[in-house]
PDB file of all heavy atoms in Angstrom:
ATOM      1  N   GLY Y 191     -27.719  10.846  28.697  1.00  0.00           N
ATOM      2  CA  GLY Y 191     -27.111   9.884  29.610  1.00  0.00           C
ATOM      3  C   GLY Y 191     -26.367   8.791  28.883  1.00  0.00           C
ATOM      4  O   GLY Y 191     -26.297   8.747  27.646  1.00  0.00           O
ATOM      5  N   ASP Y 192     -25.801   7.887  29.670  1.00  0.00           N
ATOM      6  CA  ASP Y 192     -25.065   6.767  29.103  1.00  0.00           C
ATOM      7  C   ASP Y 192     -26.009   5.784  28.433  1.00  0.00           C
ATOM      8  O   ASP Y 192     -27.162   5.618  28.843  1.00  0.00           O
ATOM      9  CB  ASP Y 192     -24.275   6.044  30.197  1.00  0.00           C
ATOM     10  CG  ASP Y 192     -22.953   6.725  30.495  1.00  0.00           C
ATOM     11  OD1 ASP Y 192     -22.163   6.894  29.558  1.00  0.00           O
ATOM     12  OD2 ASP Y 192     -22.715   7.083  31.660  1.00  0.00           O
ATOM     13  N   VAL Y 193     -25.492   5.136  27.405  1.00  0.00           N
ATOM     14  CA  VAL Y 193     -26.251   4.147  26.646  1.00  0.00           C
ATOM     15  C   VAL Y 193     -25.423   2.871  26.521  1.00  0.00           C
ATOM     16  O   VAL Y 193     -24.218   2.920  26.293  1.00  0.00           O
ATOM     17  CB  VAL Y 193     -26.596   4.680  25.237  1.00  0.00           C
ATOM     18  CG1 VAL Y 193     -27.255   3.584  24.395  1.00  0.00           C
ATOM     19  CG2 VAL Y 193     -27.499   5.896  25.315  1.00  0.00           C
ATOM     20  N   LEU Y 194     -26.096   1.750  26.687  1.00  0.00           N
ATOM     21  CA  LEU Y 194     -25.537   0.456  26.321  1.00  0.00           C
ATOM     22  C   LEU Y 194     -26.494  -0.158  25.316  1.00  0.00           C
ATOM     23  O   LEU Y 194     -27.716  -0.114  25.503  1.00  0.00           O
ATOM     24  CB  LEU Y 194     -25.400  -0.460  27.537  1.00  0.00           C
ATOM     25  CG  LEU Y 194     -24.437  -0.016  28.636  1.00  0.00           C
ATOM     26  CD1 LEU Y 194     -24.489  -1.004  29.801  1.00  0.00           C
ATOM     27  CD2 LEU Y 194     -23.024   0.085  28.095  1.00  0.00           C
ATOM     28  N   ALA Y 195     -25.967  -0.732  24.253  1.00  0.00           N
ATOM     29  CA  ALA Y 195     -26.831  -1.285  23.213  1.00  0.00           C
ATOM     30  C   ALA Y 195     -26.114  -2.434  22.508  1.00  0.00           C
ATOM     31  O   ALA Y 195     -24.889  -2.427  22.371  1.00  0.00           O
ATOM     32  CB  ALA Y 195     -27.203  -0.199  22.202  1.00  0.00           C
ATOM     33  N   ASP Y 196     -26.897  -3.402  22.088  1.00  0.00           N
ATOM     34  CA  ASP Y 196     -26.368  -4.551  21.353  1.00  0.00           C
ATOM     35  C   ASP Y 196     -26.405  -4.240  19.856  1.00  0.00           C
ATOM     36  O   ASP Y 196     -27.479  -4.048  19.273  1.00  0.00           O
ATOM     37  CB  ASP Y 196     -27.199  -5.795  21.652  1.00  0.00           C
ATOM     38  CG  ASP Y 196     -27.108  -6.215  23.111  1.00  0.00           C
ATOM     39  OD1 ASP Y 196     -26.026  -6.048  23.701  1.00  0.00           O
ATOM     40  OD2 ASP Y 196     -28.112  -6.710  23.656  1.00  0.00           O
ATOM     41  N   GLN Y 205     -20.819  -5.118  22.379  1.00  0.00           N
ATOM     42  CA  GLN Y 205     -21.829  -4.179  22.856  1.00  0.00           C
ATOM     43  C   GLN Y 205     -21.355  -2.729  22.739  1.00  0.00           C
ATOM     44  O   GLN Y 205     -20.209  -2.404  23.011  1.00  0.00           O
ATOM     45  CB  GLN Y 205     -22.173  -4.493  24.315  1.00  0.00           C
ATOM     46  CG  GLN Y 205     -23.383  -3.736  24.832  1.00  0.00           C
ATOM     47  CD  GLN Y 205     -23.773  -4.173  26.241  1.00  0.00           C
ATOM     48  OE1 GLN Y 205     -22.972  -4.092  27.165  1.00  0.00           O
ATOM     49  NE2 GLN Y 205     -25.003  -4.637  26.388  1.00  0.00           N
ATOM     50  N   LEU Y 206     -22.275  -1.877  22.321  1.00  0.00           N
ATOM     51  CA  LEU Y 206     -22.003  -0.456  22.126  1.00  0.00           C
ATOM     52  C   LEU Y 206     -22.128   0.292  23.441  1.00  0.00           C
ATOM     53  O   LEU Y 206     -23.088   0.102  24.197  1.00  0.00           O
ATOM     54  CB  LEU Y 206     -23.011   0.110  21.116  1.00  0.00           C
ATOM     55  CG  LEU Y 206     -23.009   1.619  20.857  1.00  0.00           C
ATOM     56  CD1 LEU Y 206     -21.772   2.014  20.067  1.00  0.00           C
ATOM     57  CD2 LEU Y 206     -24.274   2.018  20.094  1.00  0.00           C
ATOM     58  N   THR Y 207     -21.174   1.156  23.728  1.00  0.00           N
ATOM     59  CA  THR Y 207     -21.273   2.063  24.864  1.00  0.00           C
ATOM     60  C   THR Y 207     -21.060   3.485  24.365  1.00  0.00           C
ATOM     61  O   THR Y 207     -20.192   3.739  23.525  1.00  0.00           O
ATOM     62  CB  THR Y 207     -20.251   1.730  25.970  1.00  0.00           C
ATOM     63  OG1 THR Y 207     -20.218   2.807  26.918  1.00  0.00           O
ATOM     64  CG2 THR Y 207     -18.846   1.542  25.426  1.00  0.00           C
ATOM     65  N   GLY Y 208     -21.878   4.407  24.853  1.00  0.00           N
ATOM     66  CA  GLY Y 208     -21.768   5.790  24.417  1.00  0.00           C
ATOM     67  C   GLY Y 208     -22.588   6.708  25.286  1.00  0.00           C
ATOM     68  O   GLY Y 208     -23.210   6.282  26.266  1.00  0.00           O
ATOM     69  N   ALA Y 226     -28.194  -0.633  16.370  1.00  0.00           N
ATOM     70  CA  ALA Y 226     -28.137  -1.380  17.623  1.00  0.00           C
ATOM     71  C   ALA Y 226     -29.502  -1.345  18.290  1.00  0.00           C
ATOM     72  O   ALA Y 226     -30.404  -0.608  17.866  1.00  0.00           O
ATOM     73  CB  ALA Y 226     -27.076  -0.780  18.549  1.00  0.00           C
ATOM     74  N   ARG Y 227     -29.641  -2.158  19.357  1.00  0.00           N
ATOM     75  CA  ARG Y 227     -30.859  -2.144  20.174  1.00  0.00           C
ATOM     76  C   ARG Y 227     -30.461  -1.921  21.622  1.00  0.00           C
ATOM     77  O   ARG Y 227     -29.585  -2.598  22.156  1.00  0.00           O
ATOM     78  CB  ARG Y 227     -31.655  -3.438  20.005  1.00  0.00           C
ATOM     79  CG  ARG Y 227     -32.207  -3.571  18.588  1.00  0.00           C
ATOM     80  CD  ARG Y 227     -33.250  -4.658  18.435  1.00  0.00           C
ATOM     81  NE  ARG Y 227     -33.798  -4.667  17.080  1.00  0.00           N
ATOM     82  CZ  ARG Y 227     -34.835  -3.933  16.696  1.00  0.00           C
ATOM     83  NH1 ARG Y 227     -35.441  -3.137  17.569  1.00  0.00           N
ATOM     84  NH2 ARG Y 227     -35.266  -3.988  15.450  1.00  0.00           N
ATOM     85  N   THR Y 228     -31.118  -0.955  22.244  1.00  0.00           N
ATOM     86  CA  THR Y 228     -30.684  -0.481  23.547  1.00  0.00           C
ATOM     87  C   THR Y 228     -30.956  -1.485  24.664  1.00  0.00           C
ATOM     88  O   THR Y 228     -32.000  -2.133  24.708  1.00  0.00           O
ATOM     89  CB  THR Y 228     -31.370   0.849  23.903  1.00  0.00           C
ATOM     90  OG1 THR Y 228     -32.792   0.668  23.848  1.00  0.00           O
ATOM     91  CG2 THR Y 228     -30.963   1.948  22.938  1.00  0.00           C
ATOM     92  N   VAL Y 229     -29.995  -1.566  25.565  1.00  0.00           N
ATOM     93  CA  VAL Y 229     -30.153  -2.244  26.848  1.00  0.00           C
ATOM     94  C   VAL Y 229     -30.391  -1.195  27.924  1.00  0.00           C
ATOM     95  O   VAL Y 229     -31.159  -1.392  28.864  1.00  0.00           O
ATOM     96  CB  VAL Y 229     -28.891  -3.076  27.176  1.00  0.00           C
ATOM     97  CG1 VAL Y 229     -28.984  -3.707  28.562  1.00  0.00           C
ATOM     98  CG2 VAL Y 229     -28.660  -4.139  26.101  1.00  0.00           C
ATOM     99  N   LEU Y 230     -29.746  -0.048  27.756  1.00  0.00           N
ATOM    100  CA  LEU Y 230     -29.867   1.086  28.656  1.00  0.00           C
ATOM    101  C   LEU Y 230     -29.842   2.353  27.815  1.00  0.00           C
ATOM    102  O   LEU Y 230     -29.001   2.493  26.930  1.00  0.00           O
ATOM    103  CB  LEU Y 230     -28.705   1.098  29.657  1.00  0.00           C
ATOM    104  CG  LEU Y 230     -28.593   2.296  30.592  1.00  0.00           C
ATOM    105  CD1 LEU Y 230     -29.696   2.237  31.649  1.00  0.00           C
ATOM    106  CD2 LEU Y 230     -27.227   2.320  31.279  1.00  0.00           C
ATOM    107  N   GLY Y 231     -30.769   3.283  28.054  1.00  0.00           N
ATOM    108  CA  GLY Y 231     -30.803   4.530  27.313  1.00  0.00           C
ATOM    109  C   GLY Y 231     -31.949   4.561  26.316  1.00  0.00           C
ATOM    110  O   GLY Y 231     -32.723   3.615  26.179  1.00  0.00           O
ATOM    111  N   ARG Y 232     -32.050   5.666  25.592  1.00  0.00           N
ATOM    112  CA  ARG Y 232     -33.195   5.924  24.717  1.00  0.00           C
ATOM    113  C   ARG Y 232     -32.907   5.679  23.240  1.00  0.00           C
ATOM    114  O   ARG Y 232     -33.829   5.442  22.470  1.00  0.00           O
ATOM    115  CB  ARG Y 232     -33.661   7.377  24.911  1.00  0.00           C
ATOM    116  CG  ARG Y 232     -34.035   7.745  26.351  1.00  0.00           C
ATOM    117  CD  ARG Y 232     -35.447   7.415  26.682  1.00  0.00           C
ATOM    118  NE  ARG Y 232     -36.356   8.182  25.845  1.00  0.00           N
ATOM    119  CZ  ARG Y 232     -36.663   9.460  26.069  1.00  0.00           C
ATOM    120  NH1 ARG Y 232     -36.142  10.122  27.089  1.00  0.00           N
ATOM    121  NH2 ARG Y 232     -37.520  10.086  25.264  1.00  0.00           N
ATOM    122  N   GLU Y 241     -31.387   1.987  18.116  1.00  0.00           N
ATOM    123  CA  GLU Y 241     -30.361   3.025  18.248  1.00  0.00           C
ATOM    124  C   GLU Y 241     -29.629   3.121  16.925  1.00  0.00           C
ATOM    125  O   GLU Y 241     -29.044   2.156  16.450  1.00  0.00           O
ATOM    126  CB  GLU Y 241     -29.377   2.693  19.362  1.00  0.00           C
ATOM    127  CG  GLU Y 241     -28.587   3.885  19.889  1.00  0.00           C
ATOM    128  CD  GLU Y 241     -27.699   4.575  18.851  1.00  0.00           C
ATOM    129  OE1 GLU Y 241     -26.815   3.906  18.276  1.00  0.00           O
ATOM    130  OE2 GLU Y 241     -27.917   5.785  18.611  1.00  0.00           O
ATOM    131  N   MET Y 253     -24.653   8.234  19.401  1.00  0.00           N
ATOM    132  CA  MET Y 253     -23.651   8.065  20.443  1.00  0.00           C
ATOM    133  C   MET Y 253     -22.457   9.009  20.305  1.00  0.00           C
ATOM    134  O   MET Y 253     -21.759   9.010  19.286  1.00  0.00           O
ATOM    135  CB  MET Y 253     -23.119   6.631  20.441  1.00  0.00           C
ATOM    136  CG  MET Y 253     -24.141   5.578  20.812  1.00  0.00           C
ATOM    137  SD  MET Y 253     -24.886   5.837  22.421  1.00  0.00           S
ATOM    138  CE  MET Y 253     -26.373   6.758  21.954  1.00  0.00           C
ATOM    139  N   ARG Y 260     -14.592   4.697  22.774  1.00  0.00           N
ATOM    140  CA  ARG Y 260     -15.220   3.672  23.612  1.00  0.00           C
ATOM    141  C   ARG Y 260     -15.396   2.353  22.863  1.00  0.00           C
ATOM    142  O   ARG Y 260     -15.469   1.290  23.481  1.00  0.00           O
ATOM    143  CB  ARG Y 260     -16.599   4.136  24.079  1.00  0.00           C
ATOM    144  CG  ARG Y 260     -16.620   5.336  24.998  1.00  0.00           C
ATOM    145  CD  ARG Y 260     -18.008   5.447  25.596  1.00  0.00           C
ATOM    146  NE  ARG Y 260     -18.203   6.644  26.381  1.00  0.00           N
ATOM    147  CZ  ARG Y 260     -19.179   6.775  27.274  1.00  0.00           C
ATOM    148  NH1 ARG Y 260     -20.034   5.777  27.461  1.00  0.00           N
ATOM    149  NH2 ARG Y 260     -19.334   7.894  27.945  1.00  0.00           N
ATOM    150  N   ARG Y 290     -13.570   1.142  28.026  1.00  0.00           N
ATOM    151  CA  ARG Y 290     -14.873   0.484  27.857  1.00  0.00           C
ATOM    152  C   ARG Y 290     -15.372  -0.066  29.187  1.00  0.00           C
ATOM    153  O   ARG Y 290     -16.526   0.146  29.570  1.00  0.00           O
ATOM    154  CB  ARG Y 290     -14.769  -0.662  26.851  1.00  0.00           C
ATOM    155  CG  ARG Y 290     -14.851  -0.263  25.409  1.00  0.00           C
ATOM    156  CD  ARG Y 290     -14.794  -1.497  24.506  1.00  0.00           C
ATOM    157  NE  ARG Y 290     -15.871  -2.424  24.787  1.00  0.00           N
ATOM    158  CZ  ARG Y 290     -17.096  -2.296  24.310  1.00  0.00           C
ATOM    159  NH1 ARG Y 290     -17.413  -1.270  23.548  1.00  0.00           N
ATOM    160  NH2 ARG Y 290     -18.014  -3.195  24.575  1.00  0.00           N
ATOM    161  N   ARG Y 293     -16.575   2.726  31.524  1.00  0.00           N
ATOM    162  CA  ARG Y 293     -17.835   3.355  31.147  1.00  0.00           C
ATOM    163  C   ARG Y 293     -19.027   2.410  31.287  1.00  0.00           C
ATOM    164  O   ARG Y 293     -20.115   2.815  31.687  1.00  0.00           O
ATOM    165  CB  ARG Y 293     -17.780   3.895  29.721  1.00  0.00           C
ATOM    166  CG  ARG Y 293     -16.726   4.977  29.477  1.00  0.00           C
ATOM    167  CD  ARG Y 293     -16.623   5.978  30.613  1.00  0.00           C
ATOM    168  NE  ARG Y 293     -17.918   6.565  30.965  1.00  0.00           N
ATOM    169  CZ  ARG Y 293     -18.179   7.136  32.120  1.00  0.00           C
ATOM    170  NH1 ARG Y 293     -17.274   7.172  33.074  1.00  0.00           N
ATOM    171  NH2 ARG Y 293     -19.366   7.654  32.331  1.00  0.00           N
ATOM    172  N   VAL Y 294     -18.816   1.124  30.987  1.00  0.00           N
ATOM    173  CA  VAL Y 294     -19.894   0.157  31.164  1.00  0.00           C
ATOM    174  C   VAL Y 294     -20.226   0.015  32.649  1.00  0.00           C
ATOM    175  O   VAL Y 294     -21.395  -0.014  33.043  1.00  0.00           O
ATOM    176  CB  VAL Y 294     -19.517  -1.215  30.557  1.00  0.00           C
ATOM    177  CG1 VAL Y 294     -20.525  -2.274  30.959  1.00  0.00           C
ATOM    178  CG2 VAL Y 294     -19.438  -1.109  29.038  1.00  0.00           C
ATOM    179  N   ALA Y 295     -19.184  -0.048  33.486  1.00  0.00           N
ATOM    180  CA  ALA Y 295     -19.417  -0.162  34.934  1.00  0.00           C
ATOM    181  C   ALA Y 295     -20.140   1.063  35.468  1.00  0.00           C
ATOM    182  O   ALA Y 295     -21.060   0.961  36.284  1.00  0.00           O
ATOM    183  CB  ALA Y 295     -18.080  -0.360  35.652  1.00  0.00           C
ATOM    184  N   ALA Y 297     -22.138   3.036  33.834  1.00  0.00           N
ATOM    185  CA  ALA Y 297     -23.517   3.080  33.333  1.00  0.00           C
ATOM    186  C   ALA Y 297     -24.434   2.126  34.075  1.00  0.00           C
ATOM    187  O   ALA Y 297     -25.620   2.384  34.231  1.00  0.00           O
ATOM    188  CB  ALA Y 297     -23.523   2.757  31.843  1.00  0.00           C
ATOM    189  N   THR Y 298     -23.873   0.999  34.529  1.00  0.00           N
ATOM    190  CA  THR Y 298     -24.704  -0.029  35.151  1.00  0.00           C
ATOM    191  C   THR Y 298     -24.733   0.055  36.671  1.00  0.00           C
ATOM    192  O   THR Y 298     -25.409  -0.744  37.320  1.00  0.00           O
ATOM    193  CB  THR Y 298     -24.212  -1.421  34.736  1.00  0.00           C
ATOM    194  OG1 THR Y 298     -22.814  -1.548  35.029  1.00  0.00           O
ATOM    195  CG2 THR Y 298     -24.422  -1.644  33.245  1.00  0.00           C
TER     196      THR Y 298
END
Side-chain angles (χ1 to χ4, degrees):
D192 277 304
V193 174
L194 296 177
D196 296 325
Q205 190 175 58
L206 174 72
T207 168
R227 294 193 176 272
T228 57
V229 176
L230 174 72
R232 303 274 297 281
E241 200 299 301
M253 295 303 94
R260 295 193 186 199
R290 278 182 59 82
R293 299 319 307 159
V294 170
T298 54

